[in-house]
């Protein structure tokens, strides 16, 4: 587990190791922290918005409950007033009652009915106490059962009920409509005999309360109804619900709602608010969650849009700023990482790093870029000076080499010419003078260091011809060239030191002569020249000494000057990037291998 965690940390660190990643991560971190705080604030705002919507509904619901209670209070006031009038009649014997008194009560009941917009008021008296059995306002007590009220109903206060069918008098219901109603009644009993002294019922149209309920909330996702303690709906904002039983879960909640308390119950899709009324019934309001959610939809959309734009802006700004801040650093880092002093900066990189800004607006990265450009200019200038000095030194050494072409070789040639003249061989002397003249003409006539291979071979041939004359003809050679190879360039005076070395070490005691073979072949994009003799070879110590000179690419003017000079010159990029190899063993001869680039054109 520790290894996995360590591997994970290494992966994360590697992923964010670049300067651009660190800048981007820092910008995102700095931008997202306020965004997280803003998100929490917006979430709180959303939640507060939901609470505010519910509070607005609750306030409207409270006002609606008060309006219903006011209507119930009006009915209660009517009941109190009717009770006073009925008590006065019940306490007067029938033989002493006057028609005017009964008529006054009837007028009072009719006034209450019209004033308080009641459906009807029925007064019930014992049969012996009834002066007029007109059947409209006054009815005998034995007809209470016809109104669904049992004569044994105990009561000490006003009782409320819901009645589906009211038996209205014919004169009040000519159309014979089936009225549903909300009723409130009062029954007075004798305290000793428990007999009913009088009773009355006040009816109101439930459509009145239903109209109040339906007018309070225009959205059908908010529904209100009035419910009895038994769970029967007496009035509703949805008229089809009148007389039906409420949901069982709401009925169960009634047991937890008492007094003046208000209970709010929530389930997955509905919020139910239950408010007790002054008559013992309940005002219930159900709010679907979709109502709250829809009202929050605009807020949610605005907040989501703000969050999206904020996140997008942070990402875009972070990406832009990080790229702007790190592009020059990345370019400078790449340029420094890939910098080659021998080549210098490319023109494209110089243009990218050398952008123009007012001097007062340069930052640290700009200063670093300009410093790097100045450093490159300085390095290139120094390299150019060093190269020029190196070339100048190489030219001087080359001229020195030409000036030091084996003086004893020249002395031997001149001595041989003198001998030929004294011995009567003027033709041979004349030929040697002509060859010597042509040799030095080819060796010295060109100012350039590079010549065609064919010219270098001609110098080598003339040199061998002169040496052959000095050795009494005991020198032979062969040239083997592949087609066209003589047209490539080679550093001037490359072959002569090795031919001289072959003559010096190539003398064979067995044959009493020197035999040299020179070949030039193609090798990929190289030219390989091999010089071989079948002489006595070199000692191991001498071979190691020559190899050390070749590997060090140094020139010692006191010894091995020719071979050291050739090795130093041909290894230069200007003269073919060449290599030199010498193999020799006592009694087996010597092989010199020169490998140089195929240079088709040369201009100094």
């Amino acid at each position: 587990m520790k290894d996995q965690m360590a591997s994970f940390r290494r992966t994360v660190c590697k992923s964010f190791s670049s300067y651009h990643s660190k800048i981007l991560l820092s910008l995102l971190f700095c931008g997202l922290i306020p965004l997280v705080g803003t998100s929490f604030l917006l979430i709180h705002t959303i939640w507060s918005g939901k609470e505010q919507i519910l509070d607005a509904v609750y306030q409207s619901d409270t006002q609606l409950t008060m309006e219903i209670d006011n209507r119930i209070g009006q009915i209660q006031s009517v009941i109190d007033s009717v009770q006073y009038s009925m008590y006065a009649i019940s306490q007067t014997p029938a033989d002493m009652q006057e028609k005017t008194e009964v008529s006054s009560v009837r007028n009072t009941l009719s006034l209450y009915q019209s004033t308080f917009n009641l459906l009807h008021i029925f007064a019930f008296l014992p049969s012996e106490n009834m002066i007029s059995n007109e059947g409209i306002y006054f009815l005998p007590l034995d007809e209470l059962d016809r109104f669904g009220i049992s004569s044994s109903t105990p009561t000490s206060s006003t009782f409320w009920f819901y009645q589906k069918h009211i038996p209205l008098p014919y004169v009040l219901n000519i159309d014979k409509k089936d009225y549903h109603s909300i009723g409130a009644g009062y029954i007075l009993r004798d305290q000793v005999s428990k007999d009913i002294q009088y009773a009355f019922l006040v009816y109101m149209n439930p459509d009145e309360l239903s109209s109040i309920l339906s007018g309070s909330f225009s959205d059908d996702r908010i529904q209100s109804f009035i419910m009895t303690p038994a769970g029967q709906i007496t009035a509703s904002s949805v008229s089809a619900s009148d007389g039906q039983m409420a949901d069982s879960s709401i009925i169960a909640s009634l047991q937890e709602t008492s007094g003046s308390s208000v209970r709010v119950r929530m389930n997955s899709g509905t919020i139910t608010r239950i408010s007790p009324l002054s008559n013992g019934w309940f005002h219930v309001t159900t709010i679907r969650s979709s109502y709250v959610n829809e009202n929050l939809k605009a807020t949610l959309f605005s907040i989501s849009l703000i969050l999206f734009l904020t996140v997008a802006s942070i990402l875009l700004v972070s990406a832009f700023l990080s790229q702007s801040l790190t592009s020059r650093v990345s370019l400078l880092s790449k340029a420094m990482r890939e910098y080659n002093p021998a080549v210098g900066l490319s023109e494209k990189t110089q243009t990218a790093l050398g952008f123009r800004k007012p001097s007062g607006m340069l930052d640290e990265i700009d200063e670093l870029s300009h410093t790097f450009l100045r450093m490159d200019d300085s390095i290139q200038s120094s390299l150019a000076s060093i190269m020029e000095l190196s070339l100048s030194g190489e030219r001087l050494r080359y001229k020195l080499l030409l000036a030091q072409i084996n003086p004893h070789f020249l002395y031997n040639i001149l001595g041989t010419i003198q001998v030929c003249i004294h011995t009567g061989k003027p033709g041979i002397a004349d030929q040697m003078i002509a060859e010597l003249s042509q040799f030095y003409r080819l060796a010295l006539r060109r100012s350039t260091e590079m010549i065609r291979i064919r010219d270098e071979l001609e110098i080598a041939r003339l040199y061998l011809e002169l040496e052959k004359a000095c050795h009494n003809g005991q020198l032979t050679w062969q040239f083997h060239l592949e087609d066209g190879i003589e047209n490539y360039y080679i550093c001037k005076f490359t072959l002569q030191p090795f031919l001289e070395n072959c003559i010096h070490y190539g003398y064979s005691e067995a044959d009493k002569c020197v035999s040299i073979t020179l070949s030039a072949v193609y090798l990929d994009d190289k030219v390989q020249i091999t010089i071989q003799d079948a002489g006595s070879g070199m000692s191991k110590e001498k071979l190691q000494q020559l190899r050390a000179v070749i590997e060090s690419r140094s020139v010692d003017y006191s010894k091995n000057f020719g071979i050291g000079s050739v090795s130093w010159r041909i290894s230069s990029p200007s003269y073919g990037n060449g290599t030199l190899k010498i193999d020799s063993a006592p009694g087996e001869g010597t092989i010199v291998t020169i490998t140089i680039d195929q240079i088709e054109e040369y201009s100094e």
Side-chain angles (χ1 to χ4, degrees):
M1 185 66 181
K2 291 183 178 179
D3 294 339
Q4 293 178 350
M5 291 299 296
S7 177
F8 176 75
R9 284 196 296 270
R10 286 194 298 269
T11 302
V12 172
C13 293
K14 185 177 180 181
S15 301
F16 294 97
S17 60
S18 67
Y19 182 65
H20 179 265
S21 299
K22 293 176 182 178
I23 290 292
L24 180 60
L25 187 63
S26 300
L27 291 173
L28 289 176
F29 184 75
C30 295
L32 290 178
I33 285 182
L35 182 61
V36 171
T38 304
S39 299
F40 280 112
L41 181 62
L42 293 176
I43 291 173
H44 176 71
T45 303
I46 293 174
W47 182 257
S48 300
K50 181 178 180 180
E51 293 297 323
Q52 290 174 1
I53 292 173
L54 288 177
D55 286 344
V57 176
Y58 291 164
Q59 289 179 7
S60 299
D61 188 64
T62 301
Q63 294 294 328
L64 182 58
T65 301
M66 293 176 60
E67 186 176 355
I68 294 172
D69 261 339
N70 288 337
R71 180 57 173 159
I72 292 174
Q74 290 179 355
I75 304 300
Q76 186 62 51
S77 298
V78 171
I79 291 174
D80 293 340
S81 298
V82 173
Q83 181 182 359
Y84 176 78
S85 300
M86 292 298 295
Y87 181 80
I89 293 177
S90 65
Q91 296 301 315
T92 303
D95 55 350
M96 297 181 62
Q97 293 177 4
E98 297 182 358
K99 291 183 179 182
T100 55
E101 186 175 355
V102 174
S103 177
S104 175
V105 173
R106 181 186 299 111
N107 292 336
T108 300
L109 296 178
S110 177
L111 179 63
Y112 287 158
Q113 176 184 345
S114 60
T115 301
F116 293 98
N117 192 27
L118 301 175
L119 192 60
H120 198 60
I121 301 175
F122 289 101
F124 298 88
L125 294 171
S127 300
E128 62 273 15
N129 284 23
M130 292 191 62
I131 297 177
S132 172
N133 187 8
E134 32 86 270
I136 297 177
Y137 289 102
F138 290 97
L139 297 173
L141 285 172
D142 54 11
E143 290 194 23
L144 277 174
D145 292 336
R146 190 162 62 93
F147 287 86
I149 306 298
S150 173
S151 58
S152 60
T153 300
T155 180
S156 58
S157 60
T158 304
F159 61 92
W160 291 77
F161 58 92
Y162 177 78
Q163 193 167 354
K164 290 186 177 182
H165 307 286
I166 306 173
L168 290 176
Y170 177 76
V171 295
L172 299 177
N173 190 15
I174 299 176
D175 297 333
K176 297 182 179 181
K177 293 180 180 179
D178 190 9
Y179 284 100
H180 291 197
S181 66
I182 295 175
Y186 186 86
I187 298 176
L188 180 64
R189 296 180 180 275
D190 185 272
Q191 294 182 357
V192 178
S193 63
K194 302 301 181 181
D195 294 333
I196 298 177
Q197 293 182 325
Y198 65 86
F200 59 89
L201 302 176
V202 177
Y203 288 97
M204 64 177 296
N205 193 337
D207 291 344
E208 178 186 347
L209 295 180
S210 296
S211 177
I212 296 174
L213 294 174
S214 61
S216 298
F217 299 103
S218 59
D219 198 301
D220 58 2
R221 286 169 296 186
I222 302 178
Q223 296 183 2
S224 290
F225 56 87
I226 298 173
M227 184 176 64
T228 66
Q232 187 179 29
I233 297 175
T234 60
S236 173
S237 59
V238 182
S239 59
S241 300
D242 292 357
Q244 297 181 3
M245 297 300 292
D247 186 84
S248 58
S249 60
I250 298 177
I251 297 175
S253 298
L254 295 179
Q255 300 175 0
E256 304 175 12
T257 306
S258 60
S260 59
S261 64
V262 177
R263 179 172 179 80
V264 177
R265 184 178 63 86
M266 300 183 183
N267 58 23
S268 58
T270 306
I271 302 171
T272 304
R273 190 172 190 264
I274 303 175
S275 304
L277 298 173
S278 58
N279 65 343
W281 289 3
F282 299 93
H283 172 218
V284 180
T285 299
T286 59
I287 309 165
R288 293 183 186 176
S289 299
S290 59
Y291 172 80
V292 179
N293 295 336
E294 185 171 320
N295 280 272
L296 285 175
K297 190 177 295 183
T299 303
L300 287 172
F301 176 78
S302 300
I303 291 175
S304 301
L305 182 61
I306 292 172
L307 288 176
F308 173 78
L309 293 177
T310 303
V311 171
S313 299
I314 289 176
L315 292 177
L316 290 175
V317 170
S318 299
F320 175 76
L321 287 178
S322 62
Q323 182 65 27
S324 176
L325 290 173
T326 61
S327 59
R328 291 175 293 150
V329 176
S330 300
L331 177 63
L332 182 60
S333 174
K334 182 180 178 182
M336 297 181 71
R337 184 172 58 252
E338 300 176 354
Y339 182 68
N340 184 354
V343 179
L345 294 174
S346 65
E347 184 177 352
K348 181 179 179 181
T349 303
Q350 289 181 357
T351 303
L353 291 177
F355 51 88
R356 295 292 182 263
K357 275 187 180 180
S359 59
M361 298 182 63
L362 294 178
D363 56 23
E364 290 82 354
I365 299 176
D366 300 331
E367 294 287 355
L368 188 59
S369 299
H370 289 178
T371 301
F372 183 62
L373 289 174
R374 290 194 296 269
M375 180 193 73
D376 176 62
D377 291 339
S378 177
I379 290 175
Q380 295 306 311
S381 177
S382 299
L383 286 176
S385 299
I386 293 172
M387 182 62 68
E388 182 64 28
L389 290 174
S390 177
L391 291 175
S392 298
E394 188 173 351
R395 293 188 185 99
L396 289 175
R397 291 188 184 96
Y398 181 72
K399 293 177 180 179
L400 180 61
L401 175 64
L402 293 178
Q404 294 179 352
I405 295 176
N406 208 337
H408 74 271
F409 156 72
L410 180 59
Y411 299 153
N412 289 339
I413 296 297
L414 294 176
T416 302
I417 293 172
Q418 186 179 16
V419 169
C420 289
I421 293 173
H422 290 312
T423 58
K425 299 178 181 179
I428 296 175
D430 185 61
Q431 181 181 355
M432 292 182 66
I433 292 172
E435 290 176 348
L436 181 63
S437 174
Q438 186 178 2
F439 172 80
Y440 276 102
R441 187 180 297 111
L442 289 174
L444 301 176
R445 71 176 178 177
R446 296 180 179 270
S447 61
T448 60
E449 286 80 3
M450 300 290 287
I451 60 175
R452 300 278 184 182
I453 291 178
R454 61 172 173 266
D455 294 332
E456 180 67 8
L457 290 175
E458 181 63 18
I459 293 175
R461 187 190 65 79
L462 292 172
Y463 171 75
L464 291 173
E465 290 286 352
L466 292 171
E467 285 285 2
K468 181 179 178 181
C470 294
H471 288 78
N472 299 319
Q474 295 179 343
L475 173 62
T476 63
W477 62 88
Q478 295 178 351
F479 290 171
H480 300 288
L481 307 176
E482 291 191 358
D483 293 339
I485 202 168
E486 68 276 5
N487 294 317
Y488 291 103
Y489 280 87
I490 189 172
C491 190
K492 185 193 295 186
F493 226 67
T494 297
L495 303 179
Q496 189 275 336
F498 299 105
L499 295 174
E500 181 182 350
N501 203 61
C502 287
I503 294 172
H504 182 71
Y505 293 100
Y507 181 77
S508 174
E509 292 291 341
D511 298 334
K512 302 297 182 178
C513 68
V514 178
S515 178
I516 300 174
T517 301
L518 187 150
S519 63
V521 298
Y522 294 106
L523 186 66
D524 294 334
D525 57 348
K526 303 283 187 179
V527 172
Q528 181 174 288
I529 300 175
T530 304
I531 303 173
Q532 182 177 3
D533 66 70
S536 59
M538 290 183 286
S539 66
K540 186 176 180 180
E541 292 75 12
K542 181 62 177 180
L543 180 61
Q544 290 179 347
Q545 183 182 16
L546 290 177
R547 285 178 174 176
V549 172
I550 293 170
E551 290 177 1
S552 65
R553 292 192 175 96
S554 59
V555 180
D556 188 349
Y557 293 92
S558 61
K559 58 182 178 178
N560 302 314
F561 172 77
I563 294 177
S565 174
V566 172
S567 175
W568 177 73
R569 286 186 295 122
I570 67 173
S571 65
S572 171
S574 302
Y575 299 142
N577 288 313
T579 59
L580 177 62
K581 180 180 178 183
I582 298 179
D583 294 307
S584 182
E588 297 181 3
T590 301
I591 300 176
V592 177
T593 304
I594 302 171
T595 305
I596 59 175
D597 290 340
Q598 295 179 4
I599 303 176
E600 297 182 4
E601 294 182 0
Y602 176 80
S603 59
E604 189 171 5

